[in-house]
Structure formats: C-alpha cells, structure tokens
Amino acid sequence: RPPRSTLFPYTTLFRSIPSAEQAHVFDAFYRASNSRALRGAGLGLTIVKTLVVLCGGRITVDSHLNVGTTVTVQLPTLP
C-alpha cells in the first residue's frame, strides 16, 4: 500500500518566475529577476524546502508566464 500524503498548494496569480530561473528558486539568497524590487532576502523557499525535506516530504514549483506560480508541498500523513 503506498504511503499516504497531504498536498498543500499555494498559488499566486499573475506573478510568474521566468522559466530560465526556475531551477534556482530553492537556492539561498536567490531572487528572480522580476522580483528584485520586492522586499525579501531570497530565503523563504530555501527554508521551506529544508523543513519539508526534514519531514520526509517534497516541494515543487510550477510557474507559467502571465498566468502565475503554484508551489505545492507534499507531506506524509501520520498514521
């Protein structure tokens, strides 16, 4: 029987990550070129990914220009 998990999607409309930069979104201090005018240090997704992996889960990012970005966290469900 496959392990059970719970998904937590978070979507931002119209705020996309350029496709050439998506591979770097989990790098510490990385800021996408279209977000550098916004507040932040580039640590948010790095911290979230670290915590998710420590809990045995995974995190994915799906972003499309002029549509938006969805970050999905998948965590194992406790028995």
Side-chain angles (χ1 to χ4, degrees), residues 34-64:
N34 62 348
S35 70
R36 293 187 182 132
L38 302 173
R39 294 177 60 185
L43 290 172
L45 286 175
T46 303
I47 293 168
V48 171
K49 182 177 181 179
T50 300
L51 295 172
V52 167
V53 170
L54 286 171
C55 290
R58 65 186 208 124
I59 183 170
T60 58
V61 173
D62 184 37
S63 188
H64 301 280

PDB file of all heavy atoms in Angstrom, residues 34-64:
ATOM      1  N   ASN A  34      12.532  39.295 -11.866  1.00  0.00           N
ATOM      2  CA  ASN A  34      11.323  40.123 -11.826  1.00  0.00           C
ATOM      3  C   ASN A  34      10.808  40.349 -10.403  1.00  0.00           C
ATOM      4  O   ASN A  34       9.742  40.908 -10.213  1.00  0.00           O
ATOM      5  CB  ASN A  34      10.227  39.502 -12.691  1.00  0.00           C
ATOM      6  CG  ASN A  34       9.810  38.133 -12.211  1.00  0.00           C
ATOM      7  OD1 ASN A  34      10.456  37.522 -11.383  1.00  0.00           O
ATOM      8  ND2 ASN A  34       8.705  37.648 -12.760  1.00  0.00           N
ATOM      9  N   SER A  35      11.568  39.928  -9.383  1.00  0.00           N
ATOM     10  CA  SER A  35      11.122  40.128  -8.002  1.00  0.00           C
ATOM     11  C   SER A  35      12.106  40.945  -7.180  1.00  0.00           C
ATOM     12  O   SER A  35      11.905  41.127  -5.988  1.00  0.00           O
ATOM     13  CB  SER A  35      10.893  38.782  -7.319  1.00  0.00           C
ATOM     14  OG  SER A  35      12.128  38.134  -7.092  1.00  0.00           O
ATOM     15  N   ARG A  36      13.142  41.441  -7.794  1.00  0.00           N
ATOM     16  CA  ARG A  36      14.181  42.141  -7.035  1.00  0.00           C
ATOM     17  C   ARG A  36      13.714  43.472  -6.456  1.00  0.00           C
ATOM     18  O   ARG A  36      14.297  43.963  -5.502  1.00  0.00           O
ATOM     19  CB  ARG A  36      15.424  42.303  -7.897  1.00  0.00           C
ATOM     20  CG  ARG A  36      16.048  40.944  -8.165  1.00  0.00           C
ATOM     21  CD  ARG A  36      17.361  40.988  -8.865  1.00  0.00           C
ATOM     22  NE  ARG A  36      17.804  39.612  -9.103  1.00  0.00           N
ATOM     23  CZ  ARG A  36      18.254  39.167 -10.245  1.00  0.00           C
ATOM     24  NH1 ARG A  36      18.371  39.981 -11.265  1.00  0.00           N
ATOM     25  NH2 ARG A  36      18.619  37.910 -10.371  1.00  0.00           N
ATOM     26  N   ALA A  37      12.657  44.035  -6.989  1.00  0.00           N
ATOM     27  CA  ALA A  37      12.125  45.280  -6.440  1.00  0.00           C
ATOM     28  C   ALA A  37      11.232  45.029  -5.219  1.00  0.00           C
ATOM     29  O   ALA A  37      10.887  45.965  -4.506  1.00  0.00           O
ATOM     30  CB  ALA A  37      11.336  46.029  -7.518  1.00  0.00           C
ATOM     31  N   LEU A  38      10.889  43.770  -4.983  1.00  0.00           N
ATOM     32  CA  LEU A  38      10.045  43.415  -3.848  1.00  0.00           C
ATOM     33  C   LEU A  38      10.895  43.165  -2.614  1.00  0.00           C
ATOM     34  O   LEU A  38      12.076  42.843  -2.714  1.00  0.00           O
ATOM     35  CB  LEU A  38       9.225  42.163  -4.177  1.00  0.00           C
ATOM     36  CG  LEU A  38       8.326  42.258  -5.410  1.00  0.00           C
ATOM     37  CD1 LEU A  38       7.719  40.904  -5.714  1.00  0.00           C
ATOM     38  CD2 LEU A  38       7.247  43.296  -5.202  1.00  0.00           C
ATOM     39  N   ARG A  39      10.292  43.282  -1.441  1.00  0.00           N
ATOM     40  CA  ARG A  39      11.015  43.029  -0.191  1.00  0.00           C
ATOM     41  C   ARG A  39      11.320  41.551  -0.047  1.00  0.00           C
ATOM     42  O   ARG A  39      10.581  40.702  -0.535  1.00  0.00           O
ATOM     43  CB  ARG A  39      10.172  43.492   0.985  1.00  0.00           C
ATOM     44  CG  ARG A  39       9.975  44.996   0.991  1.00  0.00           C
ATOM     45  CD  ARG A  39       9.096  45.438   2.111  1.00  0.00           C
ATOM     46  NE  ARG A  39       9.705  45.036   3.385  1.00  0.00           N
ATOM     47  CZ  ARG A  39       9.140  45.187   4.556  1.00  0.00           C
ATOM     48  NH1 ARG A  39       7.953  45.711   4.632  1.00  0.00           N
ATOM     49  NH2 ARG A  39       9.751  44.822   5.651  1.00  0.00           N
ATOM     50  N   GLY A  40      12.401  41.239   0.638  1.00  0.00           N
ATOM     51  CA  GLY A  40      12.762  39.857   0.901  1.00  0.00           C
ATOM     52  C   GLY A  40      14.250  39.637   0.734  1.00  0.00           C
ATOM     53  O   GLY A  40      14.950  40.450   0.127  1.00  0.00           O
ATOM     54  N   ALA A  41      14.714  38.525   1.267  1.00  0.00           N
ATOM     55  CA  ALA A  41      16.144  38.212   1.218  1.00  0.00           C
ATOM     56  C   ALA A  41      16.445  37.009   0.344  1.00  0.00           C
ATOM     57  O   ALA A  41      17.601  36.644   0.183  1.00  0.00           O
ATOM     58  CB  ALA A  41      16.667  37.953   2.632  1.00  0.00           C
ATOM     59  N   GLY A  42      15.421  36.362  -0.218  1.00  0.00           N
ATOM     60  CA  GLY A  42      15.665  35.185  -1.034  1.00  0.00           C
ATOM     61  C   GLY A  42      15.878  33.931  -0.208  1.00  0.00           C
ATOM     62  O   GLY A  42      16.552  33.004  -0.655  1.00  0.00           O
ATOM     63  N   LEU A  43      15.304  33.896   0.989  1.00  0.00           N
ATOM     64  CA  LEU A  43      15.475  32.726   1.852  1.00  0.00           C
ATOM     65  C   LEU A  43      14.195  31.919   2.063  1.00  0.00           C
ATOM     66  O   LEU A  43      14.251  30.795   2.536  1.00  0.00           O
ATOM     67  CB  LEU A  43      16.003  33.160   3.222  1.00  0.00           C
ATOM     68  CG  LEU A  43      17.444  33.654   3.238  1.00  0.00           C
ATOM     69  CD1 LEU A  43      17.789  34.224   4.599  1.00  0.00           C
ATOM     70  CD2 LEU A  43      18.380  32.524   2.881  1.00  0.00           C
ATOM     71  N   GLY A  44      13.059  32.476   1.713  1.00  0.00           N
ATOM     72  CA  GLY A  44      11.780  31.832   2.025  1.00  0.00           C
ATOM     73  C   GLY A  44      11.648  30.412   1.516  1.00  0.00           C
ATOM     74  O   GLY A  44      11.406  29.480   2.284  1.00  0.00           O
ATOM     75  N   LEU A  45      11.811  30.193   0.209  1.00  0.00           N
ATOM     76  CA  LEU A  45      11.653  28.856  -0.341  1.00  0.00           C
ATOM     77  C   LEU A  45      12.781  27.930   0.082  1.00  0.00           C
ATOM     78  O   LEU A  45      12.581  26.721   0.196  1.00  0.00           O
ATOM     79  CB  LEU A  45      11.539  28.907  -1.866  1.00  0.00           C
ATOM     80  CG  LEU A  45      10.204  29.429  -2.394  1.00  0.00           C
ATOM     81  CD1 LEU A  45      10.230  29.547  -3.909  1.00  0.00           C
ATOM     82  CD2 LEU A  45       9.052  28.541  -1.955  1.00  0.00           C
ATOM     83  N   THR A  46      13.960  28.482   0.344  1.00  0.00           N
ATOM     84  CA  THR A  46      15.073  27.664   0.836  1.00  0.00           C
ATOM     85  C   THR A  46      14.728  27.078   2.203  1.00  0.00           C
ATOM     86  O   THR A  46      14.938  25.884   2.456  1.00  0.00           O
ATOM     87  CB  THR A  46      16.360  28.510   0.945  1.00  0.00           C
ATOM     88  OG1 THR A  46      16.644  29.076  -0.324  1.00  0.00           O
ATOM     89  CG2 THR A  46      17.528  27.688   1.425  1.00  0.00           C
ATOM     90  N   ILE A  47      14.200  27.905   3.080  1.00  0.00           N
ATOM     91  CA  ILE A  47      13.823  27.461   4.427  1.00  0.00           C
ATOM     92  C   ILE A  47      12.679  26.458   4.361  1.00  0.00           C
ATOM     93  O   ILE A  47      12.712  25.403   5.010  1.00  0.00           O
ATOM     94  CB  ILE A  47      13.464  28.668   5.309  1.00  0.00           C
ATOM     95  CG1 ILE A  47      14.712  29.521   5.551  1.00  0.00           C
ATOM     96  CG2 ILE A  47      12.836  28.211   6.628  1.00  0.00           C
ATOM     97  CD1 ILE A  47      14.427  30.875   6.165  1.00  0.00           C
ATOM     98  N   VAL A  48      11.667  26.761   3.558  1.00  0.00           N
ATOM     99  CA  VAL A  48      10.523  25.847   3.434  1.00  0.00           C
ATOM    100  C   VAL A  48      10.977  24.494   2.904  1.00  0.00           C
ATOM    101  O   VAL A  48      10.595  23.450   3.436  1.00  0.00           O
ATOM    102  CB  VAL A  48       9.428  26.462   2.533  1.00  0.00           C
ATOM    103  CG1 VAL A  48       8.352  25.432   2.218  1.00  0.00           C
ATOM    104  CG2 VAL A  48       8.823  27.680   3.197  1.00  0.00           C
ATOM    105  N   LYS A  49      11.821  24.484   1.863  1.00  0.00           N
ATOM    106  CA  LYS A  49      12.281  23.208   1.307  1.00  0.00           C
ATOM    107  C   LYS A  49      13.056  22.404   2.349  1.00  0.00           C
ATOM    108  O   LYS A  49      12.867  21.192   2.470  1.00  0.00           O
ATOM    109  CB  LYS A  49      13.151  23.423   0.074  1.00  0.00           C
ATOM    110  CG  LYS A  49      13.593  22.105  -0.525  1.00  0.00           C
ATOM    111  CD  LYS A  49      14.392  22.253  -1.780  1.00  0.00           C
ATOM    112  CE  LYS A  49      14.765  20.867  -2.305  1.00  0.00           C
ATOM    113  NZ  LYS A  49      15.528  20.952  -3.532  1.00  0.00           N
ATOM    114  N   THR A  50      13.914  23.064   3.106  1.00  0.00           N
ATOM    115  CA  THR A  50      14.684  22.368   4.147  1.00  0.00           C
ATOM    116  C   THR A  50      13.752  21.701   5.146  1.00  0.00           C
ATOM    117  O   THR A  50      13.932  20.528   5.492  1.00  0.00           O
ATOM    118  CB  THR A  50      15.633  23.345   4.862  1.00  0.00           C
ATOM    119  OG1 THR A  50      16.537  23.892   3.903  1.00  0.00           O
ATOM    120  CG2 THR A  50      16.407  22.663   5.967  1.00  0.00           C
ATOM    121  N   LEU A  51      12.743  22.419   5.619  1.00  0.00           N
ATOM    122  CA  LEU A  51      11.800  21.867   6.598  1.00  0.00           C
ATOM    123  C   LEU A  51      10.964  20.738   6.006  1.00  0.00           C
ATOM    124  O   LEU A  51      10.732  19.717   6.658  1.00  0.00           O
ATOM    125  CB  LEU A  51      10.898  22.970   7.143  1.00  0.00           C
ATOM    126  CG  LEU A  51      11.611  24.047   7.959  1.00  0.00           C
ATOM    127  CD1 LEU A  51      10.660  25.180   8.287  1.00  0.00           C
ATOM    128  CD2 LEU A  51      12.211  23.451   9.218  1.00  0.00           C
ATOM    129  N   VAL A  52      10.521  20.911   4.770  1.00  0.00           N
ATOM    130  CA  VAL A  52       9.707  19.886   4.117  1.00  0.00           C
ATOM    131  C   VAL A  52      10.506  18.592   3.956  1.00  0.00           C
ATOM    132  O   VAL A  52      10.014  17.506   4.258  1.00  0.00           O
ATOM    133  CB  VAL A  52       9.186  20.397   2.756  1.00  0.00           C
ATOM    134  CG1 VAL A  52       8.615  19.269   1.919  1.00  0.00           C
ATOM    135  CG2 VAL A  52       8.135  21.480   2.968  1.00  0.00           C
ATOM    136  N   VAL A  53      11.750  18.703   3.507  1.00  0.00           N
ATOM    137  CA  VAL A  53      12.591  17.515   3.325  1.00  0.00           C
ATOM    138  C   VAL A  53      12.872  16.838   4.668  1.00  0.00           C
ATOM    139  O   VAL A  53      12.839  15.607   4.772  1.00  0.00           O
ATOM    140  CB  VAL A  53      13.896  17.883   2.582  1.00  0.00           C
ATOM    141  CG1 VAL A  53      14.890  16.737   2.594  1.00  0.00           C
ATOM    142  CG2 VAL A  53      13.585  18.298   1.149  1.00  0.00           C
ATOM    143  N   LEU A  54      13.120  17.629   5.708  1.00  0.00           N
ATOM    144  CA  LEU A  54      13.343  17.053   7.041  1.00  0.00           C
ATOM    145  C   LEU A  54      12.124  16.275   7.549  1.00  0.00           C
ATOM    146  O   LEU A  54      12.266  15.333   8.320  1.00  0.00           O
ATOM    147  CB  LEU A  54      13.704  18.150   8.049  1.00  0.00           C
ATOM    148  CG  LEU A  54      15.116  18.718   7.929  1.00  0.00           C
ATOM    149  CD1 LEU A  54      15.271  19.948   8.831  1.00  0.00           C
ATOM    150  CD2 LEU A  54      16.145  17.662   8.280  1.00  0.00           C
ATOM    151  N   CYS A  55      10.946  16.659   7.088  1.00  0.00           N
ATOM    152  CA  CYS A  55       9.709  15.977   7.481  1.00  0.00           C
ATOM    153  C   CYS A  55       9.384  14.805   6.551  1.00  0.00           C
ATOM    154  O   CYS A  55       8.336  14.174   6.689  1.00  0.00           O
ATOM    155  CB  CYS A  55       8.544  16.963   7.481  1.00  0.00           C
ATOM    156  SG  CYS A  55       8.641  18.178   8.794  1.00  0.00           S
ATOM    157  N   GLY A  56      10.260  14.533   5.585  1.00  0.00           N
ATOM    158  CA  GLY A  56      10.026  13.423   4.663  1.00  0.00           C
ATOM    159  C   GLY A  56       9.133  13.762   3.499  1.00  0.00           C
ATOM    160  O   GLY A  56       8.601  12.869   2.835  1.00  0.00           O
ATOM    161  N   GLY A  57       8.963  15.040   3.215  1.00  0.00           N
ATOM    162  CA  GLY A  57       8.085  15.456   2.131  1.00  0.00           C
ATOM    163  C   GLY A  57       8.849  15.967   0.929  1.00  0.00           C
ATOM    164  O   GLY A  57      10.062  15.801   0.820  1.00  0.00           O
ATOM    165  N   ARG A  58       8.117  16.609   0.044  1.00  0.00           N
ATOM    166  CA  ARG A  58       8.733  17.208  -1.135  1.00  0.00           C
ATOM    167  C   ARG A  58       8.001  18.485  -1.492  1.00  0.00           C
ATOM    168  O   ARG A  58       6.851  18.703  -1.086  1.00  0.00           O
ATOM    169  CB  ARG A  58       8.782  16.236  -2.302  1.00  0.00           C
ATOM    170  CG  ARG A  58       7.454  15.828  -2.839  1.00  0.00           C
ATOM    171  CD  ARG A  58       7.575  14.753  -3.913  1.00  0.00           C
ATOM    172  NE  ARG A  58       6.448  14.880  -4.816  1.00  0.00           N
ATOM    173  CZ  ARG A  58       6.531  15.039  -6.117  1.00  0.00           C
ATOM    174  NH1 ARG A  58       7.694  15.073  -6.698  1.00  0.00           N
ATOM    175  NH2 ARG A  58       5.447  15.165  -6.853  1.00  0.00           N
ATOM    176  N   ILE A  59       8.676  19.331  -2.268  1.00  0.00           N
ATOM    177  CA  ILE A  59       8.105  20.611  -2.682  1.00  0.00           C
ATOM    178  C   ILE A  59       8.381  20.795  -4.169  1.00  0.00           C
ATOM    179  O   ILE A  59       9.460  20.459  -4.654  1.00  0.00           O
ATOM    180  CB  ILE A  59       8.683  21.774  -1.835  1.00  0.00           C
ATOM    181  CG1 ILE A  59       8.029  23.099  -2.210  1.00  0.00           C
ATOM    182  CG2 ILE A  59      10.183  21.835  -1.940  1.00  0.00           C
ATOM    183  CD1 ILE A  59       8.367  24.238  -1.259  1.00  0.00           C
ATOM    184  N   THR A  60       7.381  21.300  -4.884  1.00  0.00           N
ATOM    185  CA  THR A  60       7.539  21.556  -6.310  1.00  0.00           C
ATOM    186  C   THR A  60       7.051  22.962  -6.641  1.00  0.00           C
ATOM    187  O   THR A  60       6.225  23.532  -5.916  1.00  0.00           O
ATOM    188  CB  THR A  60       6.746  20.548  -7.165  1.00  0.00           C
ATOM    189  OG1 THR A  60       5.365  20.625  -6.805  1.00  0.00           O
ATOM    190  CG2 THR A  60       7.256  19.129  -6.960  1.00  0.00           C
ATOM    191  N   VAL A  61       7.580  23.496  -7.740  1.00  0.00           N
ATOM    192  CA  VAL A  61       7.165  24.809  -8.226  1.00  0.00           C
ATOM    193  C   VAL A  61       6.744  24.660  -9.685  1.00  0.00           C
ATOM    194  O   VAL A  61       7.446  24.046 -10.486  1.00  0.00           O
ATOM    195  CB  VAL A  61       8.312  25.838  -8.120  1.00  0.00           C
ATOM    196  CG1 VAL A  61       7.927  27.146  -8.784  1.00  0.00           C
ATOM    197  CG2 VAL A  61       8.676  26.083  -6.674  1.00  0.00           C
ATOM    198  N   ASP A  62       5.584  25.208 -10.008  1.00  0.00           N
ATOM    199  CA  ASP A  62       5.074  25.209 -11.378  1.00  0.00           C
ATOM    200  C   ASP A  62       4.711  26.643 -11.708  1.00  0.00           C
ATOM    201  O   ASP A  62       3.824  27.221 -11.071  1.00  0.00           O
ATOM    202  CB  ASP A  62       3.864  24.285 -11.483  1.00  0.00           C
ATOM    203  CG  ASP A  62       3.343  24.172 -12.894  1.00  0.00           C
ATOM    204  OD1 ASP A  62       4.156  24.163 -13.841  1.00  0.00           O
ATOM    205  OD2 ASP A  62       2.110  24.082 -13.053  1.00  0.00           O
ATOM    206  N   SER A  63       5.410  27.249 -12.672  1.00  0.00           N
ATOM    207  CA  SER A  63       5.193  28.659 -12.989  1.00  0.00           C
ATOM    208  C   SER A  63       5.055  28.856 -14.485  1.00  0.00           C
ATOM    209  O   SER A  63       5.794  28.254 -15.276  1.00  0.00           O
ATOM    210  CB  SER A  63       6.365  29.491 -12.451  1.00  0.00           C
ATOM    211  OG  SER A  63       6.092  30.859 -12.582  1.00  0.00           O
ATOM    212  N   HIS A  64       4.088  29.703 -14.869  1.00  0.00           N
ATOM    213  CA  HIS A  64       3.839  29.990 -16.276  1.00  0.00           C
ATOM    214  C   HIS A  64       3.685  31.494 -16.458  1.00  0.00           C
ATOM    215  O   HIS A  64       2.920  32.136 -15.726  1.00  0.00           O
ATOM    216  CB  HIS A  64       2.587  29.274 -16.762  1.00  0.00           C
ATOM    217  CG  HIS A  64       2.681  27.781 -16.611  1.00  0.00           C
ATOM    218  ND1 HIS A  64       3.359  26.992 -17.492  1.00  0.00           N
ATOM    219  CD2 HIS A  64       2.210  26.955 -15.653  1.00  0.00           C
ATOM    220  CE1 HIS A  64       3.299  25.736 -17.098  1.00  0.00           C
ATOM    221  NE2 HIS A  64       2.602  25.692 -15.968  1.00  0.00           N
TER     222      HIS A  64
END
